[in-house]
Amino acid sequence: MINKRVEAAVNEQIKREEHSSRLYLAMASWCEVSGFPGAAAFLYAQADEERMHMLKFVHYLNDRNGHALMAALDMPAPEYKSLHDVFEQVMKHEEYITASINELYGISFEEKDFTTANFLQWFINEQIEEESTMRGILDKLNLAGEGKSGGLFHIDKDLAGMAAARATTTGTTAE
Ligand code: FEO
């Protein structure tokens, strides 16, 4: 039986991953209705990834004789000021998730649950990649500046390409 404190912390992480999925869906939807189809495709794919993260935790907890719970979630913000605003919030959110995974790792160690600590290694590496991808997009947006300039058009096209590449490697659809 998994340690109760670890179980509660994993359930909290399940909630956070599901919230991440819904947050990126809300952002994708805003991008889709705001003339950024590439960013929308990228964020729809990202929402699928977050759902996959949530499911990994669900199966892990149930496999360890715990019980994965589906907590109530708050509605994510529906409106954004700009594409830059969207990705600034994505970046902040990924940093929050990294801190949350690290906290969970710390709890596993405190409770001497090294199986969970070992399981979390995949997420620790995933967060390095996710933060680096989002930072790269934000850097490009910072260079392009605000407003619907030609720079933003090219970034949106790049994001469409990234979403298509991700769909071929993961088998998920971008839209
Ligand atoms: Fe599941 Fe983007 O962290």
Side-chain angles (χ1 to χ4, degrees), residues 81-145:
K81 289 195 282 268
S82 60
L83 195 58
H84 188 268
D85 179 35
V86 167
F87 279 93
E88 241 179 11
Q89 293 197 41
V90 169
M91 189 72 236
K92 261 195 215 135
H93 187 73
E94 287 301 329
E95 285 168 354
Y96 159 74
I97 293 294
T98 299
S100 165
I101 297 279
N102 286 341
E103 195 189 311
L104 182 51
Y105 191 77
I107 291 171
S108 311
F109 256 85
E110 278 169 28
E111 300 298 331
K112 297 196 175 5
D113 180 351
F114 302 117
T115 311
T116 297
N118 188 46
F119 167 77
L120 288 171
Q121 279 300 334
W122 184 90
F123 285 92
I124 289 168
N125 292 332
E126 178 76 1
Q127 283 311 117
I128 297 172
E129 235 177 77
E130 295 222 323
E131 280 199 27
S132 154
T133 304
M134 300 313 173
R135 196 171 297 113
I137 297 167
L138 200 51
D139 284 349
K140 281 188 200 167
L141 283 164
N142 280 331
L143 280 173

Side-chain angles (χ1 to χ4, degrees), residues 22-42:
R22 283 172 50 85
L23 175 65
Y24 295 157
L25 266 182
M27 289 172 170
S29 180
W30 180 86
C31 288
E32 196 165 40
V33 298
S34 305
F36 300 114
F42 176 84

